[in-house]
Amino acid sequence: MNVLVINCGSSSLKYQLINSDTEAVLAKGLCERIGIDGRLVYQLAGGEKEITESPMPTHKEAIQMVLDALVNEKTGAVKSLSEIDAVGHRVVHGGEKFASSVVLTPEVLAQIEECNELAPLHNPANLIGIHACQELMPGVPMVGVFDTAFHQTMPKKAYLYGLPYEYYEKYKVRRYGFHGTSHSFVSKRTIEFLGLDKNNSKVIVAHLGNGASISAVLNGECVDTSMGLTPLEGLVMGTRSGDIDPAIMEYIAKKENLDIDGVMNVLNKKSGVEGLSGVSSDFRDLEDAYNEGNQRAIDACEVFAYRVAKYIGSYVAAMNGVDAIAFTAGIGENTQFIREKIVAYLGYLGVTLDKEANKVRGEDKIISTPDSKVTVCVIPTNEELAIARETVALV
């Protein structure tokens, strides 16, 4: 069975065509600058990247170009669109309506649209991509896989805020969490890789990238996660502030003469390690500056690692213990000095790092020593494969 995985942003979309039997990626790529001028990147498995500059006024044209590339006579992954059996769509916010993936029907799409105000930058774009695919691929079953679904097993004590309860009742203001597809995939893979008993396991997943979040997974179910109503809460990230004193918003607004939109722009796009360092949100640049002795870059890296370590500690408390800690995503999989800094805080758990094993990038690997009381590992995430698996399970 061939599954096309689509991840739509406001002006871009990523895609992969996956054979679900072998779980091999047949082709992948992305469309950029949708609504501006348009750029398609296409790569057949084992082939070179092909770049096509072409107008993409809307997502419909972008998806049409993807489909045309997939059936291209010379470099296409399939001979005709009839060989694509299903489409799996990433949907950022499912609110409380969706605790699992679902086949997309008109009724489901209407419910997703009701969640738009919880993710105004993402959900409308996700829906545009879904509607475009439905128009261009009539009759092909489509599935929505939600970033928030995996976290819907959190208990009330984890997702309620200390606000008037009526805000939860009227507006559904609560912790939702994000990166759920990644946390689900990596927690399952960690249990499998380490040979743990899923029904008697305590796993902490640290999804560390430009967007970063941590989850506590008890017996295969999420019981807490660091992102909140939006992806702004939690860890210090690439350009997001993470947890702050809410009164800072009023203080900065008055000092800088900003309205609420201006303050939110600062917190989402000008903060995090980029705002702290003045260098970059990219840890490759930060690592270079760190090694050159740039004090602000050093401070940014220390703040990032410290916040991660604090969250790990809080989730050990939430689960009353931990069997394994898994690092994943761009930083978690590839930046060894950050992993080393984080693990250095975990001596109280009996964690010891194998520095040689920690010289790993992007592969399943245990990086703690054999006598470490908690196993620490690197587990590459694969959200596209997770979406494909969810799609196959439903169709």
Side-chain angles (χ1 to χ4, degrees):
M1 183 174 182
N2 293 327
V3 179
L4 178 61
V5 176
I6 298 285
N7 179 356
C8 267
S10 56
S11 63
S12 66
L13 73 84
K14 298 177 184 176
Y15 65 91
Q16 285 192 10
L17 183 65
I18 297 174
N19 180 298
S20 65
D21 299 323
T22 63
E23 298 196 336
V25 177
L26 305 179
K28 64 180 180 179
L30 71 155
C31 295
E32 300 174 292
R33 299 175 65 81
I34 298 170
I36 305 171
D37 43 25
R39 182 173 186 261
L40 170 73
V41 179
Y42 172 81
Q43 185 174 20
L44 183 68
E48 298 293 319
K49 283 184 180 179
E50 300 175 14
I51 297 174
T52 305
E53 308 281 351
S54 180
M56 297 178 187
T58 71
H59 286 72
K60 181 180 177 182
E61 287 82 8
I63 290 170
Q64 183 67 67
M65 285 188 67
V66 170
L67 298 178
D68 290 344
L70 290 171
V71 298
N72 180 282
E73 283 187 9
K74 292 183 179 178
T75 58
V78 291
K79 291 181 179 178
S80 75
L81 292 182
S82 63
E83 294 179 47
I84 298 176
D85 302 293
V87 182
H89 293 270
R90 177 197 181 211
V91 182
V92 168
H93 217 306
E96 290 188 323
K97 300 177 187 295
F98 301 102
S100 61
S101 302
V102 63
V103 174
L104 295 171
T105 64
E107 294 75 23
V108 167
L109 292 175
Q111 290 180 306
I112 293 173
E113 192 167 349
E114 290 173 13
C115 298
N116 279 5
E117 63 182 0
L118 293 171
L121 297 178
H122 297 91
N123 268 34
N126 300 154
L127 284 166
I128 288 168
I130 292 166
H131 290 308
C133 279
Q134 288 179 326
E135 188 174 340
L136 294 169
M137 306 173 74
V140 176
M142 304 203 181
V143 168
V145 181
F146 300 89
D147 272 13
T148 49
F150 182 63
H151 305 304
Q152 284 296 301
T153 51
M154 284 190 291
K156 274 192 172 183
K157 63 184 178 183
Y159 70 69
L160 286 177
Y161 289 117
L163 294 168
Y165 195 74
E166 64 191 86
Y167 296 158
Y168 168 61
E169 291 181 306
K170 290 196 293 188
Y171 312 121
K172 296 303 177 187
V173 174
R174 52 158 285 180
R175 178 183 311 283
Y176 288 101
F178 298 88
H179 296 143
T181 308
S182 176
H183 285 286
S184 175
F185 179 88
V186 173
S187 60
K188 290 180 175 68
R189 177 60 185 147
T190 301
I191 289 167
E192 176 188 29
F193 180 62
L194 299 180
L196 301 176
D197 176 4
K198 177 188 172 184
N199 298 317
N200 185 26
S201 61
K202 299 173 180 179
V203 175
I204 293 173
V205 175
H207 176 109
L208 308 180
N210 191 51
S213 61
I214 296 187
S215 64
V217 184
L218 179 64
N219 302 333
E221 293 190 339
C222 178
V223 293
D224 209 344
T225 191
S226 57
M227 285 179 165
L229 175 74
T230 76
L232 182 57
E233 188 182 359
L235 303 175
V236 173
M237 305 178 216
T239 62
R240 296 185 188 121
S241 66
D243 297 340
I244 63 165
D245 177 349
I248 291 172
M249 297 174 70
E250 179 190 24
Y251 184 77
I252 294 298
K254 289 178 177 178
K255 291 290 186 182
E256 296 286 323
N257 193 30
L258 296 172
D259 60 12
I260 188 64
D261 289 336
V263 173
M264 294 307 295
N265 185 57
V266 170
L267 297 182
N268 274 301
K269 297 182 179 179
K270 297 182 179 180
S271 299
V273 293
E274 182 176 284
L276 282 169
S277 70
V279 173
S280 175
S281 62
D282 191 314
F283 266 78
R284 290 168 293 191
D285 300 328
L286 276 179
E287 185 172 5
D288 290 341
Y290 180 98
N291 291 330
E292 291 165 3
N294 181 315
Q295 190 57 52
R296 282 179 59 184
I298 292 170
D299 290 343
C301 293
E302 294 286 359
V303 168
F304 179 86
Y306 180 64
R307 182 70 64 87
V308 174
K310 285 208 300 181
Y311 261 97
I312 288 173
S314 69
Y315 289 167
V316 173
M319 296 190 293
N320 196 20
V322 62
D323 298 314
I325 299 166
F327 289 103
T328 194
I331 299 164
E333 293 172 29
N334 300 301
T335 311
Q336 69 179 67
F337 91 106
I338 290 294
R339 293 194 299 255
E340 185 172 347
K341 281 185 175 296
I342 295 166
V343 172
Y345 287 104
L346 308 180
Y348 69 97
L349 293 173
V351 172
T352 49
L353 184 71
D354 182 332
K355 291 191 177 183
E356 192 60 35
N358 190 41
K359 296 176 182 176
V360 64
R361 294 173 63 89
E363 63 176 278
D364 294 340
K365 186 78 175 284
I366 294 172
I367 61 171
S368 52
T369 59
D371 61 350
S372 180
K373 291 184 179 177
V374 177
T375 303
V376 182
C377 54
V378 173
I379 302 289
T381 190
N382 192 332
E383 293 174 88
E384 289 78 15
L385 178 56
I387 292 171
R389 287 174 175 174
E390 293 279 326
T391 302
V392 170
L394 284 170
V395 305

